[in-house]
Amino acid sequence: MGSRTIFGENMMYIAHRGNLSTKFSTRENSPSYLNEAISAGFYVEIDLRGVNGEFWFGHDKPQYKVEYEYIQSIAHKAFFHCKNVEAIDILTDYVQDPHYFVHDTDDYTITSKGLIWCYPGKTPPKRNAIIVLPETFVDGISFYLTKHNAVGVCSDYVNDLIL
């Protein structure tokens, strides 16, 4: 699951904070929720904070303390949304080749691996775009993703995009 879709074979499907078919705020960013999305074959976008040299997941605040080993074990399927500078520092010090980005309300940001993370509702560039939360601003997601030749989509409903 997660590889064959109406949008193309090479599209990356990213579960926003672990959400698969709905926004489930009370479970977002929890390791068990993220594991479910990864087990279903998806990438995950995770809100990461560094606090006193430790890893914490959580959107508005540190909620779930996680160990280095866990971060390393999921890094191949994760886009780490670094929420503070300490998150960048400890992630790049202790995790081999992480995929991360820093972004607040910027229209676009470039990830550590050269992809362009687009703020919801912003027109993506011609190449290397990850379109975020298209369900919040467009009808006809299939047409939109195909038209803009996106390489990835990050959604709270990512499971619904799979055939």
Side-chain angles (χ1 to χ4, degrees):
M1 180 174 250
S3 62
R4 297 201 51 134
T5 72
I6 57 177
F7 309 123
E9 295 294 325
N10 297 317
M11 177 78 66
M12 287 183 282
Y13 294 87
I14 306 160
H16 182 242
R17 303 178 191 151
N19 292 317
L20 293 174
S21 295
T22 190
K23 186 170 176 55
F24 198 175
S25 299
T26 59
R27 293 197 66 205
E28 290 181 342
N29 290 303
S30 71
S32 63
Y33 200 44
L34 298 168
N35 289 342
E36 290 171 26
I38 291 168
S39 292
F42 296 104
Y43 290 87
V44 290
E45 181 268 348
I46 307 167
D47 295 315
L48 177 68
R49 295 169 187 281
V51 180
N52 298 322
E54 298 176 326
F55 292 113
W56 287 80
F57 294 161
H59 179 65
D60 293 320
K61 62 184 179 187
Q63 291 178 278
Y64 305 99
K65 183 178 182 248
V66 291
E67 300 300 324
Y68 154 80
E69 292 82 8
Y70 179 70
I71 297 282
Q72 186 64 54
S73 74
I74 65 168
H76 68 290
K77 293 294 270 186
F79 287 79
F80 296 104
H81 182 173
C82 294
K83 297 297 213 167
N84 62 6
V85 71
E86 189 175 356
I88 300 166
D89 289 342
I90 63 175
L91 184 66
T92 57
D93 282 348
Y94 295 106
V95 176
Q96 182 180 359
D97 198 28
H99 201 160
Y100 64 96
F101 63 96
V102 178
H103 153 83
D104 188 13
T105 58
D106 307 325
D107 291 350
Y108 309 94
T109 193
I110 299 174
T111 72
S112 62
K113 295 188 179 185
L115 300 179
I116 301 164
W117 196 268
C118 302
Y119 192 82
K122 299 299 177 183
T123 301
K126 292 180 185 178
R127 291 173 202 77
N128 297 327
I130 296 177
I131 296 172
V132 179
L133 303 176
E135 64 271 12
T136 64
F137 64 89
V138 68
D139 290 326
I141 293 173
S142 172
F143 173 75
Y144 188 83
L145 294 175
T146 302
K147 174 184 170 188
H148 290 290
N149 196 28
V151 297
V153 59
C154 180
S155 173
D156 288 327
Y157 300 88
V158 71
N159 198 49
D160 300 338
L161 303 177
I162 302 300
L163 287 177

